[in-house]
PDB file of all heavy atoms in Angstrom:
ATOM      1  N   ILE A 531       2.453 -17.601  21.937  1.00 86.00           N
ATOM      2  CA  ILE A 531       2.400 -16.572  23.051  1.00 86.00           C
ATOM      3  C   ILE A 531       1.071 -16.427  23.549  1.00 86.00           C
ATOM      4  O   ILE A 531       0.873 -16.366  24.814  1.00 86.00           O
ATOM      5  CB  ILE A 531       2.957 -15.219  22.436  1.00 86.00           C
ATOM      6  CG1 ILE A 531       4.342 -15.384  21.740  1.00 86.00           C
ATOM      7  CG2 ILE A 531       2.937 -14.211  23.499  1.00 86.00           C
ATOM      8  CD1 ILE A 531       5.368 -15.886  22.746  1.00 86.00           C
ATOM      9  N   GLU A 532       0.101 -16.386  22.723  1.00 88.00           N
ATOM     10  CA  GLU A 532      -1.337 -16.285  23.239  1.00 88.00           C
ATOM     11  C   GLU A 532      -1.638 -17.427  24.132  1.00 88.00           C
ATOM     12  O   GLU A 532      -2.255 -17.263  25.256  1.00 88.00           O
ATOM     13  CB  GLU A 532      -2.234 -16.252  22.038  1.00 88.00           C
ATOM     14  CG  GLU A 532      -3.691 -16.226  22.356  1.00 88.00           C
ATOM     15  CD  GLU A 532      -4.592 -16.432  21.145  1.00 88.00           C
ATOM     16  OE1 GLU A 532      -4.144 -16.997  20.173  1.00 88.00           O
ATOM     17  OE2 GLU A 532      -5.848 -15.862  21.290  1.00 88.00           O
ATOM     18  N   ASP A 533      -1.302 -18.666  23.803  1.00 88.00           N
ATOM     19  CA  ASP A 533      -1.628 -19.870  24.607  1.00 88.00           C
ATOM     20  C   ASP A 533      -0.859 -19.824  25.926  1.00 88.00           C
ATOM     21  O   ASP A 533      -1.384 -20.065  26.981  1.00 88.00           O
ATOM     22  CB  ASP A 533      -1.202 -21.128  23.872  1.00 88.00           C
ATOM     23  CG  ASP A 533      -2.123 -21.393  22.636  1.00 88.00           C
ATOM     24  OD1 ASP A 533      -3.127 -20.759  22.530  1.00 88.00           O
ATOM     25  OD2 ASP A 533      -1.663 -22.142  21.778  1.00 88.00           O
ATOM     26  N   MET A 534       0.361 -19.313  25.871  1.00 89.00           N
ATOM     27  CA  MET A 534       1.254 -19.262  27.136  1.00 89.00           C
ATOM     28  C   MET A 534       0.624 -18.234  27.998  1.00 89.00           C
ATOM     29  O   MET A 534       0.616 -18.446  29.375  1.00 89.00           O
ATOM     30  CB  MET A 534       2.571 -18.903  26.697  1.00 89.00           C
ATOM     31  CG  MET A 534       3.655 -18.978  27.845  1.00 89.00           C
ATOM     32  SD  MET A 534       5.249 -18.263  27.350  1.00 89.00           S
ATOM     33  CE  MET A 534       5.599 -19.384  25.927  1.00 89.00           C
ATOM     34  N   VAL A 535       0.308 -17.057  27.501  1.00 91.00           N
ATOM     35  CA  VAL A 535      -0.253 -16.005  28.353  1.00 91.00           C
ATOM     36  C   VAL A 535      -1.510 -16.404  29.016  1.00 91.00           C
ATOM     37  O   VAL A 535      -1.805 -16.136  30.161  1.00 91.00           O
ATOM     38  CB  VAL A 535      -0.435 -14.707  27.569  1.00 91.00           C
ATOM     39  CG1 VAL A 535      -1.243 -13.581  28.297  1.00 91.00           C
ATOM     40  CG2 VAL A 535       0.982 -14.009  27.076  1.00 91.00           C
ATOM     41  N   LYS A 536      -2.458 -17.048  28.243  1.00 92.00           N
ATOM     42  CA  LYS A 536      -3.760 -17.497  28.829  1.00 92.00           C
ATOM     43  C   LYS A 536      -3.433 -18.560  29.858  1.00 92.00           C
ATOM     44  O   LYS A 536      -4.174 -18.536  30.963  1.00 92.00           O
ATOM     45  CB  LYS A 536      -4.557 -18.161  27.665  1.00 92.00           C
ATOM     46  CG  LYS A 536      -5.190 -17.161  26.722  1.00 92.00           C
ATOM     47  CD  LYS A 536      -6.017 -17.824  25.759  1.00 92.00           C
ATOM     48  CE  LYS A 536      -6.683 -16.775  24.791  1.00 92.00           C
ATOM     49  NZ  LYS A 536      -7.428 -17.542  23.667  1.00 92.00           N
ATOM     50  N   LYS A 537      -2.506 -19.365  29.818  1.00 91.00           N
ATOM     51  CA  LYS A 537      -2.202 -20.314  30.823  1.00 91.00           C
ATOM     52  C   LYS A 537      -1.496 -19.670  32.035  1.00 91.00           C
ATOM     53  O   LYS A 537      -1.903 -19.957  33.149  1.00 91.00           O
ATOM     54  CB  LYS A 537      -1.194 -21.343  30.169  1.00 91.00           C
ATOM     55  CG  LYS A 537      -0.967 -22.610  31.191  1.00 91.00           C
ATOM     56  CD  LYS A 537      -0.095 -23.641  30.464  1.00 91.00           C
ATOM     57  CE  LYS A 537       0.194 -24.742  31.368  1.00 91.00           C
ATOM     58  NZ  LYS A 537       1.036 -25.794  30.679  1.00 91.00           N
ATOM     59  N   ARG A 538      -0.665 -18.690  31.801  1.00 91.00           N
ATOM     60  CA  ARG A 538      -0.027 -18.010  32.958  1.00 91.00           C
ATOM     61  C   ARG A 538      -0.869 -17.067  33.626  1.00 91.00           C
ATOM     62  O   ARG A 538      -0.812 -16.894  34.871  1.00 91.00           O
ATOM     63  CB  ARG A 538       1.263 -17.222  32.379  1.00 91.00           C
ATOM     64  CG  ARG A 538       1.972 -16.443  33.318  1.00 91.00           C
ATOM     65  CD  ARG A 538       2.692 -17.264  34.406  1.00 91.00           C
ATOM     66  NE  ARG A 538       3.394 -16.376  35.460  1.00 91.00           N
ATOM     67  CZ  ARG A 538       2.781 -15.684  36.383  1.00 91.00           C
ATOM     68  NH1 ARG A 538       1.510 -15.739  36.659  1.00 91.00           N
ATOM     69  NH2 ARG A 538       3.525 -14.938  37.256  1.00 91.00           N
ATOM     70  N   PHE A 539      -1.798 -16.395  32.956  1.00 93.00           N
ATOM     71  CA  PHE A 539      -2.762 -15.423  33.477  1.00 93.00           C
ATOM     72  C   PHE A 539      -4.250 -15.796  33.168  1.00 93.00           C
ATOM     73  O   PHE A 539      -4.798 -15.156  32.222  1.00 93.00           O
ATOM     74  CB  PHE A 539      -2.400 -13.990  32.963  1.00 93.00           C
ATOM     75  CG  PHE A 539      -1.030 -13.522  33.203  1.00 93.00           C
ATOM     76  CD1 PHE A 539      -0.100 -13.543  32.181  1.00 93.00           C
ATOM     77  CD2 PHE A 539      -0.659 -13.056  34.500  1.00 93.00           C
ATOM     78  CE1 PHE A 539       1.237 -13.129  32.465  1.00 93.00           C
ATOM     79  CE2 PHE A 539       0.638 -12.699  34.733  1.00 93.00           C
ATOM     80  CZ  PHE A 539       1.590 -12.727  33.690  1.00 93.00           C
ATOM     81  N   PRO A 540      -4.736 -16.837  33.740  1.00 92.00           N
ATOM     82  CA  PRO A 540      -5.915 -17.417  33.356  1.00 92.00           C
ATOM     83  C   PRO A 540      -7.151 -16.445  33.474  1.00 92.00           C
ATOM     84  O   PRO A 540      -8.194 -16.545  32.876  1.00 92.00           O
ATOM     85  CB  PRO A 540      -6.188 -18.656  34.298  1.00 92.00           C
ATOM     86  CG  PRO A 540      -5.224 -18.460  35.402  1.00 92.00           C
ATOM     87  CD  PRO A 540      -4.109 -17.554  34.864  1.00 92.00           C
ATOM     88  N   GLY A 541      -7.063 -15.423  34.404  1.00 89.00           N
ATOM     89  CA  GLY A 541      -8.110 -14.460  34.535  1.00 89.00           C
ATOM     90  C   GLY A 541      -8.091 -13.376  33.544  1.00 89.00           C
ATOM     91  O   GLY A 541      -9.108 -12.535  33.489  1.00 89.00           O
ATOM     92  N   ALA A 542      -7.082 -13.302  32.698  1.00 91.00           N
ATOM     93  CA  ALA A 542      -7.051 -12.179  31.725  1.00 91.00           C
ATOM     94  C   ALA A 542      -7.683 -12.466  30.384  1.00 91.00           C
ATOM     95  O   ALA A 542      -7.671 -13.595  29.939  1.00 91.00           O
ATOM     96  CB  ALA A 542      -5.526 -11.798  31.521  1.00 91.00           C
ATOM     97  N   ALA A 543      -8.373 -11.491  29.817  1.00 91.00           N
ATOM     98  CA  ALA A 543      -8.898 -11.625  28.447  1.00 91.00           C
ATOM     99  C   ALA A 543      -7.819 -11.243  27.499  1.00 91.00           C
ATOM    100  O   ALA A 543      -7.265 -10.174  27.579  1.00 91.00           O
ATOM    101  CB  ALA A 543     -10.112 -10.704  28.355  1.00 91.00           C
ATOM    102  N   VAL A 544      -7.550 -12.142  26.520  1.00 90.00           N
ATOM    103  CA  VAL A 544      -6.457 -11.971  25.609  1.00 90.00           C
ATOM    104  C   VAL A 544      -6.905 -11.905  24.170  1.00 90.00           C
ATOM    105  O   VAL A 544      -7.807 -12.814  23.718  1.00 90.00           O
ATOM    106  CB  VAL A 544      -5.392 -13.098  25.761  1.00 90.00           C
ATOM    107  CG1 VAL A 544      -4.240 -12.880  24.757  1.00 90.00           C
ATOM    108  CG2 VAL A 544      -4.944 -13.265  27.100  1.00 90.00           C
ATOM    109  N   LEU A 545      -6.482 -10.903  23.370  1.00 89.00           N
ATOM    110  CA  LEU A 545      -6.718 -10.822  21.987  1.00 89.00           C
ATOM    111  C   LEU A 545      -5.429 -11.015  21.286  1.00 89.00           C
ATOM    112  O   LEU A 545      -4.395 -10.683  21.634  1.00 89.00           O
ATOM    113  CB  LEU A 545      -7.339  -9.460  21.641  1.00 89.00           C
ATOM    114  CG  LEU A 545      -8.804  -9.206  21.826  1.00 89.00           C
ATOM    115  CD1 LEU A 545      -9.145  -7.719  21.639  1.00 89.00           C
ATOM    116  CD2 LEU A 545      -9.654 -10.093  20.835  1.00 89.00           C
ATOM    117  N   ARG A 546      -5.596 -11.619  19.971  1.00 87.00           N
ATOM    118  CA  ARG A 546      -4.380 -11.718  19.163  1.00 87.00           C
ATOM    119  C   ARG A 546      -4.571 -11.064  17.884  1.00 87.00           C
ATOM    120  O   ARG A 546      -5.669 -11.171  17.204  1.00 87.00           O
ATOM    121  CB  ARG A 546      -4.097 -13.179  18.893  1.00 87.00           C
ATOM    122  CG  ARG A 546      -2.910 -13.551  17.969  1.00 87.00           C
ATOM    123  CD  ARG A 546      -2.493 -15.030  17.970  1.00 87.00           C
ATOM    124  NE  ARG A 546      -3.556 -15.855  17.740  1.00 87.00           N
ATOM    125  CZ  ARG A 546      -3.811 -16.428  16.529  1.00 87.00           C
ATOM    126  NH1 ARG A 546      -3.031 -16.085  15.511  1.00 87.00           N
ATOM    127  NH2 ARG A 546      -4.757 -17.334  16.407  1.00 87.00           N
ATOM    128  N   MET A 547      -3.640 -10.383  17.345  1.00 84.00           N
ATOM    129  CA  MET A 547      -3.643  -9.685  16.038  1.00 84.00           C
ATOM    130  C   MET A 547      -2.445  -9.952  15.197  1.00 84.00           C
ATOM    131  O   MET A 547      -1.332  -9.461  15.567  1.00 84.00           O
ATOM    132  CB  MET A 547      -3.859  -8.184  16.316  1.00 84.00           C
ATOM    133  CG  MET A 547      -4.082  -7.327  15.083  1.00 84.00           C
ATOM    134  SD  MET A 547      -4.502  -5.659  15.473  1.00 84.00           S
ATOM    135  CE  MET A 547      -4.906  -4.970  13.858  1.00 84.00           C
ATOM    136  N   ASP A 548      -2.739 -10.667  14.125  1.00 74.00           N
ATOM    137  CA  ASP A 548      -1.627 -11.062  13.129  1.00 74.00           C
ATOM    138  C   ASP A 548      -2.221 -11.283  11.865  1.00 74.00           C
ATOM    139  O   ASP A 548      -3.435 -11.105  11.655  1.00 74.00           O
ATOM    140  CB  ASP A 548      -0.676 -12.219  13.713  1.00 74.00           C
ATOM    141  CG  ASP A 548      -1.562 -13.493  13.892  1.00 74.00           C
ATOM    142  OD1 ASP A 548      -2.681 -13.565  13.435  1.00 74.00           O
ATOM    143  OD2 ASP A 548      -1.143 -14.320  14.730  1.00 74.00           O
ATOM    144  N   MET A 549      -1.462 -11.774  10.893  1.00 68.00           N
ATOM    145  CA  MET A 549      -1.955 -11.924   9.545  1.00 68.00           C
ATOM    146  C   MET A 549      -3.165 -13.038   9.491  1.00 68.00           C
ATOM    147  O   MET A 549      -4.011 -12.872   8.779  1.00 68.00           O
ATOM    148  CB  MET A 549      -0.878 -12.467   8.622  1.00 68.00           C
ATOM    149  CG  MET A 549       0.170 -11.412   8.208  1.00 68.00           C
ATOM    150  SD  MET A 549      -0.653 -10.059   7.260  1.00 68.00           S
ATOM    151  CE  MET A 549      -0.871 -10.987   5.720  1.00 68.00           C
ATOM    152  N   ASP A 550      -3.047 -14.003  10.415  1.00 72.00           N
ATOM    153  CA  ASP A 550      -4.033 -15.031  10.457  1.00 72.00           C
ATOM    154  C   ASP A 550      -5.396 -14.653  11.001  1.00 72.00           C
ATOM    155  O   ASP A 550      -6.448 -15.063  10.564  1.00 72.00           O
ATOM    156  CB  ASP A 550      -3.498 -16.263  11.269  1.00 72.00           C
ATOM    157  CG  ASP A 550      -2.342 -16.932  10.694  1.00 72.00           C
ATOM    158  OD1 ASP A 550      -2.342 -16.958   9.488  1.00 72.00           O
ATOM    159  OD2 ASP A 550      -1.505 -17.435  11.372  1.00 72.00           O
ATOM    160  N   THR A 551      -5.362 -13.626  12.021  1.00 73.00           N
ATOM    161  CA  THR A 551      -6.644 -13.245  12.608  1.00 73.00           C
ATOM    162  C   THR A 551      -7.265 -12.039  11.854  1.00 73.00           C
ATOM    163  O   THR A 551      -8.301 -11.533  12.338  1.00 73.00           O
ATOM    164  CB  THR A 551      -6.391 -12.875  14.111  1.00 73.00           C
ATOM    165  OG1 THR A 551      -5.441 -11.813  14.224  1.00 73.00           O
ATOM    166  CG2 THR A 551      -5.927 -14.044  14.917  1.00 73.00           C
ATOM    167  N   THR A 552      -6.613 -11.496  10.934  1.00 70.00           N
ATOM    168  CA  THR A 552      -7.088 -10.359  10.216  1.00 70.00           C
ATOM    169  C   THR A 552      -7.387 -10.466   8.692  1.00 70.00           C
ATOM    170  O   THR A 552      -7.311  -9.612   7.964  1.00 70.00           O
ATOM    171  CB  THR A 552      -6.074  -9.085  10.380  1.00 70.00           C
ATOM    172  OG1 THR A 552      -4.846  -9.474   9.932  1.00 70.00           O
ATOM    173  CG2 THR A 552      -6.045  -8.659  11.828  1.00 70.00           C
ATOM    174  N   ARG A 553      -7.567 -11.823   8.384  1.00 72.00           N
ATOM    175  CA  ARG A 553      -7.786 -12.050   6.887  1.00 72.00           C
ATOM    176  C   ARG A 553      -9.140 -11.567   6.442  1.00 72.00           C
ATOM    177  O   ARG A 553      -9.282 -11.167   5.326  1.00 72.00           O
ATOM    178  CB  ARG A 553      -7.696 -13.607   6.635  1.00 72.00           C
ATOM    179  CG  ARG A 553      -6.305 -14.127   6.832  1.00 72.00           C
ATOM    180  CD  ARG A 553      -6.163 -15.626   6.491  1.00 72.00           C
ATOM    181  NE  ARG A 553      -4.938 -16.137   6.860  1.00 72.00           N
ATOM    182  CZ  ARG A 553      -3.822 -15.916   6.254  1.00 72.00           C
ATOM    183  NH1 ARG A 553      -3.704 -15.198   5.197  1.00 72.00           N
ATOM    184  NH2 ARG A 553      -2.655 -16.612   6.748  1.00 72.00           N
ATOM    185  N   GLN A 554     -10.139 -11.541   7.237  1.00 74.00           N
ATOM    186  CA  GLN A 554     -11.468 -11.205   6.904  1.00 74.00           C
ATOM    187  C   GLN A 554     -11.680  -9.669   6.825  1.00 74.00           C
ATOM    188  O   GLN A 554     -10.964  -8.943   7.543  1.00 74.00           O
ATOM    189  CB  GLN A 554     -12.605 -11.731   7.774  1.00 74.00           C
ATOM    190  CG  GLN A 554     -12.637 -13.313   7.685  1.00 74.00           C
ATOM    191  CD  GLN A 554     -13.717 -13.895   8.586  1.00 74.00           C
ATOM    192  OE1 GLN A 554     -14.185 -13.245   9.464  1.00 74.00           O
ATOM    193  NE2 GLN A 554     -14.056 -15.171   8.273  1.00 74.00           N
ATOM    194  N   LYS A 555     -12.599  -9.235   5.994  1.00 68.00           N
ATOM    195  CA  LYS A 555     -12.899  -7.793   5.922  1.00 68.00           C
ATOM    196  C   LYS A 555     -13.303  -7.279   7.324  1.00 68.00           C
ATOM    197  O   LYS A 555     -14.084  -7.866   7.934  1.00 68.00           O
ATOM    198  CB  LYS A 555     -13.945  -7.577   4.955  1.00 68.00           C
ATOM    199  CG  LYS A 555     -14.268  -6.075   4.582  1.00 68.00           C
ATOM    200  CD  LYS A 555     -15.332  -6.021   3.533  1.00 68.00           C
ATOM    201  CE  LYS A 555     -15.607  -4.540   3.240  1.00 68.00           C
ATOM    202  NZ  LYS A 555     -16.723  -4.361   2.279  1.00 68.00           N
ATOM    203  N   ASP A 556     -12.879  -6.054   7.677  1.00 71.00           N
ATOM    204  CA  ASP A 556     -13.190  -5.394   8.918  1.00 71.00           C
ATOM    205  C   ASP A 556     -12.543  -6.076  10.134  1.00 71.00           C
ATOM    206  O   ASP A 556     -12.845  -5.701  11.185  1.00 71.00           O
ATOM    207  CB  ASP A 556     -14.652  -5.218   9.108  1.00 71.00           C
ATOM    208  CG  ASP A 556     -15.289  -4.372   7.920  1.00 71.00           C
ATOM    209  OD1 ASP A 556     -14.535  -3.526   7.326  1.00 71.00           O
ATOM    210  OD2 ASP A 556     -16.471  -4.626   7.666  1.00 71.00           O
ATOM    211  N   ALA A 557     -11.782  -7.163   9.945  1.00 75.00           N
ATOM    212  CA  ALA A 557     -11.214  -7.854  11.184  1.00 75.00           C
ATOM    213  C   ALA A 557     -10.326  -6.916  11.984  1.00 75.00           C
ATOM    214  O   ALA A 557     -10.283  -6.937  13.177  1.00 75.00           O
ATOM    215  CB  ALA A 557     -10.429  -9.067  10.639  1.00 75.00           C
ATOM    216  N   HIS A 558      -9.468  -6.092  11.264  1.00 73.00           N
ATOM    217  CA  HIS A 558      -8.612  -5.071  11.949  1.00 73.00           C
ATOM    218  C   HIS A 558      -9.475  -4.296  12.851  1.00 73.00           C
ATOM    219  O   HIS A 558      -9.159  -4.061  14.021  1.00 73.00           O
ATOM    220  CB  HIS A 558      -7.855  -4.220  10.975  1.00 73.00           C
ATOM    221  CG  HIS A 558      -6.893  -4.932  10.126  1.00 73.00           C
ATOM    222  ND1 HIS A 558      -7.237  -5.325   8.924  1.00 73.00           N
ATOM    223  CD2 HIS A 558      -5.642  -5.264  10.316  1.00 73.00           C
ATOM    224  CE1 HIS A 558      -6.157  -5.910   8.330  1.00 73.00           C
ATOM    225  NE2 HIS A 558      -5.228  -5.898   9.254  1.00 73.00           N
ATOM    226  N   GLU A 559     -10.580  -3.706  12.318  1.00 75.00           N
ATOM    227  CA  GLU A 559     -11.382  -2.719  13.091  1.00 75.00           C
ATOM    228  C   GLU A 559     -11.977  -3.466  14.256  1.00 75.00           C
ATOM    229  O   GLU A 559     -12.027  -2.787  15.362  1.00 75.00           O
ATOM    230  CB  GLU A 559     -12.500  -2.196  12.141  1.00 75.00           C
ATOM    231  CG  GLU A 559     -12.052  -1.387  11.032  1.00 75.00           C
ATOM    232  CD  GLU A 559     -13.140  -0.872  10.177  1.00 75.00           C
ATOM    233  OE1 GLU A 559     -14.354  -0.806  10.685  1.00 75.00           O
ATOM    234  OE2 GLU A 559     -12.940  -0.383   9.024  1.00 75.00           O
ATOM    235  N   LYS A 560     -12.478  -4.639  14.093  1.00 82.00           N
ATOM    236  CA  LYS A 560     -13.094  -5.303  15.175  1.00 82.00           C
ATOM    237  C   LYS A 560     -12.201  -5.674  16.355  1.00 82.00           C
ATOM    238  O   LYS A 560     -12.522  -5.384  17.536  1.00 82.00           O
ATOM    239  CB  LYS A 560     -13.781  -6.664  14.747  1.00 82.00           C
ATOM    240  CG  LYS A 560     -14.981  -6.420  13.774  1.00 82.00           C
ATOM    241  CD  LYS A 560     -15.445  -7.696  13.139  1.00 82.00           C
ATOM    242  CE  LYS A 560     -16.595  -7.506  12.157  1.00 82.00           C
ATOM    243  NZ  LYS A 560     -17.002  -8.714  11.444  1.00 82.00           N
ATOM    244  N   ILE A 561     -10.964  -6.128  16.048  1.00 84.00           N
ATOM    245  CA  ILE A 561     -10.040  -6.376  17.091  1.00 84.00           C
ATOM    246  C   ILE A 561      -9.617  -5.133  17.827  1.00 84.00           C
ATOM    247  O   ILE A 561      -9.473  -5.098  19.035  1.00 84.00           O
ATOM    248  CB  ILE A 561      -8.689  -7.153  16.509  1.00 84.00           C
ATOM    249  CG1 ILE A 561      -9.147  -8.510  15.936  1.00 84.00           C
ATOM    250  CG2 ILE A 561      -7.652  -7.250  17.596  1.00 84.00           C
ATOM    251  CD1 ILE A 561      -8.103  -9.187  15.162  1.00 84.00           C
ATOM    252  N   LEU A 562      -9.280  -4.070  16.987  1.00 79.00           N
ATOM    253  CA  LEU A 562      -8.810  -2.791  17.577  1.00 79.00           C
ATOM    254  C   LEU A 562      -9.939  -2.195  18.413  1.00 79.00           C
ATOM    255  O   LEU A 562      -9.666  -1.604  19.537  1.00 79.00           O
ATOM    256  CB  LEU A 562      -8.340  -1.888  16.536  1.00 79.00           C
ATOM    257  CG  LEU A 562      -7.044  -2.259  15.824  1.00 79.00           C
ATOM    258  CD1 LEU A 562      -6.712  -1.408  14.694  1.00 79.00           C
ATOM    259  CD2 LEU A 562      -5.832  -2.442  16.832  1.00 79.00           C
ATOM    260  N   ALA A 563     -11.103  -2.173  17.923  1.00 81.00           N
ATOM    261  CA  ALA A 563     -12.313  -1.672  18.638  1.00 81.00           C
ATOM    262  C   ALA A 563     -12.437  -2.343  20.027  1.00 81.00           C
ATOM    263  O   ALA A 563     -12.860  -1.789  20.990  1.00 81.00           O
ATOM    264  CB  ALA A 563     -13.508  -1.701  17.744  1.00 81.00           C
ATOM    265  N   ALA A 564     -12.439  -3.691  19.914  1.00 85.00           N
ATOM    266  CA  ALA A 564     -12.635  -4.477  21.143  1.00 85.00           C
ATOM    267  C   ALA A 564     -11.542  -4.045  22.153  1.00 85.00           C
ATOM    268  O   ALA A 564     -11.977  -3.992  23.367  1.00 85.00           O
ATOM    269  CB  ALA A 564     -12.576  -5.973  20.761  1.00 85.00           C
ATOM    270  N   PHE A 565     -10.415  -3.991  21.744  1.00 85.00           N
ATOM    271  CA  PHE A 565      -9.274  -3.704  22.724  1.00 85.00           C
ATOM    272  C   PHE A 565      -9.458  -2.274  23.242  1.00 85.00           C
ATOM    273  O   PHE A 565      -9.207  -1.925  24.456  1.00 85.00           O
ATOM    274  CB  PHE A 565      -7.896  -3.832  22.095  1.00 85.00           C
ATOM    275  CG  PHE A 565      -6.713  -3.716  22.982  1.00 85.00           C
ATOM    276  CD1 PHE A 565      -6.589  -4.666  23.978  1.00 85.00           C
ATOM    277  CD2 PHE A 565      -5.804  -2.742  22.829  1.00 85.00           C
ATOM    278  CE1 PHE A 565      -5.512  -4.639  24.905  1.00 85.00           C
ATOM    279  CE2 PHE A 565      -4.656  -2.709  23.734  1.00 85.00           C
ATOM    280  CZ  PHE A 565      -4.588  -3.670  24.784  1.00 85.00           C
ATOM    281  N   ALA A 566      -9.864  -1.290  22.358  1.00 82.00           N
ATOM    282  CA  ALA A 566     -10.021   0.070  22.775  1.00 82.00           C
ATOM    283  C   ALA A 566     -11.135   0.298  23.746  1.00 82.00           C
ATOM    284  O   ALA A 566     -11.174   1.094  24.687  1.00 82.00           O
ATOM    285  CB  ALA A 566     -10.310   1.042  21.500  1.00 82.00           C
ATOM    286  N   ASN A 567     -12.175  -0.619  23.544  1.00 86.00           N
ATOM    287  CA  ASN A 567     -13.369  -0.631  24.448  1.00 86.00           C
ATOM    288  C   ASN A 567     -13.110  -1.354  25.752  1.00 86.00           C
ATOM    289  O   ASN A 567     -14.022  -1.471  26.642  1.00 86.00           O
ATOM    290  CB  ASN A 567     -14.537  -1.158  23.711  1.00 86.00           C
ATOM    291  CG  ASN A 567     -14.994  -0.360  22.569  1.00 86.00           C
ATOM    292  OD1 ASN A 567     -14.811   0.838  22.539  1.00 86.00           O
ATOM    293  ND2 ASN A 567     -15.756  -1.028  21.578  1.00 86.00           N
ATOM    294  N   GLY A 568     -11.940  -1.867  25.933  1.00 87.00           N
ATOM    295  CA  GLY A 568     -11.658  -2.578  27.260  1.00 87.00           C
ATOM    296  C   GLY A 568     -12.179  -4.009  27.372  1.00 87.00           C
ATOM    297  O   GLY A 568     -12.250  -4.496  28.402  1.00 87.00           O
ATOM    298  N   GLU A 569     -12.453  -4.617  26.144  1.00 90.00           N
ATOM    299  CA  GLU A 569     -12.961  -6.010  26.140  1.00 90.00           C
ATOM    300  C   GLU A 569     -11.860  -6.961  26.318  1.00 90.00           C
ATOM    301  O   GLU A 569     -12.124  -8.180  26.437  1.00 90.00           O
ATOM    302  CB  GLU A 569     -13.734  -6.242  24.867  1.00 90.00           C
ATOM    303  CG  GLU A 569     -14.928  -5.402  24.602  1.00 90.00           C
ATOM    304  CD  GLU A 569     -15.603  -5.488  23.390  1.00 90.00           C
ATOM    305  OE1 GLU A 569     -15.439  -6.655  22.715  1.00 90.00           O
ATOM    306  OE2 GLU A 569     -16.175  -4.559  22.889  1.00 90.00           O
ATOM    307  N   ALA A 570     -10.553  -6.518  26.266  1.00 88.00           N
ATOM    308  CA  ALA A 570      -9.383  -7.450  26.489  1.00 88.00           C
ATOM    309  C   ALA A 570      -8.466  -6.726  27.383  1.00 88.00           C
ATOM    310  O   ALA A 570      -8.296  -5.440  27.286  1.00 88.00           O
ATOM    311  CB  ALA A 570      -8.824  -7.912  25.186  1.00 88.00           C
TER     312      ALA A 570
END
Side-chain angles (χ1 to χ4, degrees):
I531 302 300
E532 180 188 22
D533 294 344
M534 185 187 304
V535 169
K536 284 178 177 177
K537 189 175 179 180
R538 174 67 180 79
F539 304 100
V544 183
L545 277 172
R546 175 165 58 91
M547 188 170 182
D548 56 21
M549 288 294 290
D550 293 327
T551 62
T552 55
R553 292 187 191 282
Q554 294 183 344
K555 187 178 178 181
D556 299 333
H558 295 95
E559 294 181 17
K560 290 174 183 173
I561 294 171
L562 294 172
F565 191 62
N567 293 336
E569 296 172 29

